């Protein structure tokens, strides 16, 4: 079975600007004007200082893998097993869960540097994913 349509994201009240930025392939997350913290998921106030002064700021796209799993059972039509799910600590601080595409690390994936990429689906949806970052020597 080939790639199918991705289910529509469950859209919370504060989520549309994030998904608009993902569709534009320039992901943004909320950033607090008072303390500078980035946050995910979007919320009405800063989770660190409770300020309601939040802007949508661009991400560097850099991060490191902090958790990973390989699924050997199919849960969605679009993902034939085996497939992976990673949790990445973004350079800006928040944790974000998606997939690692392309080459996979050897051994443990923990600490592997990654960068944000975008995957286009035939139905027009776009998802943020990660790939291994090339280390500078």
């Amino acid at each position: 079975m080939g790639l199918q349509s991705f289910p529509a994201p469950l859209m919370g009240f504060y989520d549309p600007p994030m998904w608009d930025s993902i569709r534009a392939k320039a992901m943004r997350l909320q950033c607090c004007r008072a303390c500078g913290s980035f946050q995910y998921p979007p919320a009405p106030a800063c989770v660190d200082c409770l300020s309601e002064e939040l802007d949508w700021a661009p991400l560097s796209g850099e991060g490191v893998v902090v958790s990973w799993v390989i699924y050997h059972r199919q849960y969605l039509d679009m993902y034939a097993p085996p497939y992976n799910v990673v949790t990445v600590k973004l350079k800006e601080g928040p944790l974000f869960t998606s997939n690692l595409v392309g080459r996979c690390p050897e051994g443990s994936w923990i600490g592997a540097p990654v960068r944000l990429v975008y995957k286009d689906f035939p139905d027009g949806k776009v998802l943020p994913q990660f790939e291994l970052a090339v280390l500078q020597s």
Side-chain angles (χ1 to χ4, degrees):
M1 179 180 296
L3 284 180
Q4 303 295 317
S5 169
F6 186 79
L10 295 174
M11 197 70 66
F13 185 77
Y14 301 98
D15 293 341
M18 180 187 72
W19 283 102
D20 290 344
S21 72
I22 290 168
R23 277 189 292 280
K25 298 181 181 178
M27 190 170 171
R28 294 174 174 269
L29 291 180
Q30 287 178 318
C31 183
C32 179
R33 276 189 246 152
C35 73
S37 293
F38 278 76
Q39 66 183 21
Y40 174 80
C46 175
V47 296
D48 289 332
C49 73
L50 301 179
S51 170
E52 295 178 3
E53 300 297 318
L54 300 168
D55 293 319
W56 289 92
L59 297 176
S60 68
E62 300 173 14
V64 295
V65 175
V66 295
S67 181
W68 63 283
V69 66
I70 296 179
Y71 286 99
H72 295 277
R73 180 174 179 200
Q74 188 161 6
Y75 293 98
L76 297 171
D77 288 342
M78 62 181 278
Y79 290 116
Y83 65 95
N84 69 68
V85 174
V86 295
T87 299
V88 169
K89 182 169 181 70
L90 299 171
K91 180 179 180 181
E92 292 79 7
L95 297 175
F96 196 83
T97 301
S98 187
N99 307 101
L100 186 68
V101 296
R103 185 175 65 83
C104 293
E106 304 214 2
S108 176
W109 299 11
I110 305 299
V114 294
R115 69 179 189 96
L116 184 63
V117 295
Y118 300 92
K119 177 164 181 146
D120 293 301
F121 285 86
D123 62 0
K125 291 184 180 77
V126 177
L127 282 184
Q129 296 184 321
F130 295 92
E131 66 181 10
L132 288 177
V134 177
L135 294 175
Q136 302 293 327
S137 36

